[in-house]
Amino acid sequence: MKWYLDFGHGGKDPGAIGPTNLKESDVALKIGMIIKENLENALEKVITTREDDKYYSLDYRTKKANNENCDYFISIHLNSATNSSAKGCEVWLYNENSKLKNLANNLCNNLSTKMDTPNRGVKYSKNLSVLKNTKMPALLIEIDFISNKEVEKSLRNDNHLKNIADTISSTLLSFVNKSIVEDKVFYRVCIGSFSNKDNAVNLKNEAICKGFKDTHIYTT
């Protein structure tokens, strides 16, 4: 699959600002880049709007996704409200006929559980540019309310951001019957020492013939 990851705002447009001046654009970028890495590790193709703090118009975002013929469009945002106690995650779709309705519900459920925040559910809008102007199925994730002081504080924690990103990543991958590739640990096996180089070379060649292509001779 080819995913289009749209990290909200950027550059001259910081998006929502938290009580201690944390910018939505920065948080969306950090979370989004982890999602990108997770998807690519699972051998998914990923196209992004931006990978640094630059501004791109809404028109640019949807045109790029359309030109790249992406399969799905995922936009990452943080919510904001004048009510400083507001919190919770929600996902926006263009309408109830969206092919991503089940995915949107799963994202709400999984993020709510992982972050211990209210599930505000799936919502619909035909006015959001990234939903109405994309040719592929699209959704917009409002992870939580950056305007909430407690939420903003947690969004400054890199471990919390990784948990959010991993939750989104695993939910997206599950939608296409894949899962996050865990960090791999490799173990090296040594097969003896020889004072005669010919004996070492013979054993190396024997190991290669048996399928152990990553075989080397070291001197000590």
Side-chain angles (χ1 to χ4, degrees):
M1 291 294 172
K2 184 187 287 190
W3 300 84
Y4 190 92
L5 297 183
D6 175 49
F7 312 144
H9 309 282
K12 65 180 182 180
D13 174 19
I17 305 292
T20 61
N21 297 318
L22 183 63
K23 297 190 292 186
E24 175 186 0
S25 57
D26 289 343
V27 178
L29 178 62
K30 287 182 179 180
I31 292 173
M33 290 302 290
I34 299 172
I35 296 171
K36 176 180 183 291
E37 182 179 6
N38 286 337
L39 295 184
E40 289 178 336
N41 285 343
L43 303 181
E44 295 290 284
K45 178 69 174 176
V46 178
I47 306 296
T48 62
T49 297
R50 63 186 180 96
E51 297 188 5
D52 52 19
D53 189 25
K54 289 184 179 179
Y55 170 80
Y56 295 96
S57 68
L58 294 174
D59 185 58
Y60 170 90
R61 296 164 192 258
T62 53
K63 283 185 176 179
K64 183 177 181 180
N66 292 337
N67 290 338
E68 290 282 354
N69 293 314
C70 293
D71 295 294
Y72 302 112
F73 186 105
I74 310 297
S75 193
I76 308 296
H77 287 261
L78 281 304
N79 219 333
S80 182
T82 54
N83 178 2
S84 61
S85 65
K87 63 185 302 188
C89 60
E90 59 192 42
V91 176
W92 288 81
L93 298 174
Y94 182 71
N95 59 34
E96 293 191 16
N97 296 322
S98 173
K99 295 179 180 179
L100 299 185
K101 188 172 182 179
N102 286 338
L103 174 59
N105 276 309
N106 289 338
L107 284 166
C108 284
N109 292 334
N110 294 343
L111 283 170
S112 173
T113 299
K114 189 67 177 181
M115 297 189 302
D116 190 25
T117 196
N119 181 349
R120 296 169 59 89
V122 177
K123 301 180 183 298
Y124 304 95
S125 172
K126 294 185 178 181
N127 297 319
L128 294 174
S129 175
V130 296
L131 300 183
K132 70 179 181 179
N133 294 321
T134 44
K135 294 179 181 179
M136 70 291 301
L139 60 76
L140 185 149
I141 306 171
E142 294 280 10
I143 294 170
D144 210 334
F145 282 75
I146 198 171
S147 50
N148 182 301
K149 189 173 183 179
E150 291 182 2
V151 171
E152 184 202 34
K153 181 179 179 180
S154 68
L155 293 172
R156 291 187 181 277
N157 184 298
D158 287 342
N159 288 331
H160 184 65
L161 296 186
K162 186 176 187 310
N163 286 336
I164 293 171
D166 287 350
T167 301
I168 294 174
S169 301
S170 61
T171 308
L172 297 179
L173 288 170
S174 178
F175 183 70
V176 293
N177 299 313
K178 286 190 175 184
S179 58
I180 288 182
V181 177
E182 301 294 340
D183 293 337
K184 294 181 179 179
V185 177
F186 294 93
Y187 300 91
R188 298 183 183 276
V189 178
C190 299
I191 315 177
S193 301
F194 305 90
S195 58
N196 185 312
K197 183 178 180 180
D198 289 341
N199 292 335
V201 171
N202 290 337
L203 185 57
K204 173 189 173 184
N205 291 337
E206 181 181 345
I208 291 174
C209 288
K210 291 182 178 181
F212 298 96
K213 305 299 182 183
D214 188 20
T215 304
H216 307 279
I217 295 175
Y218 297 94
T219 56
T220 58

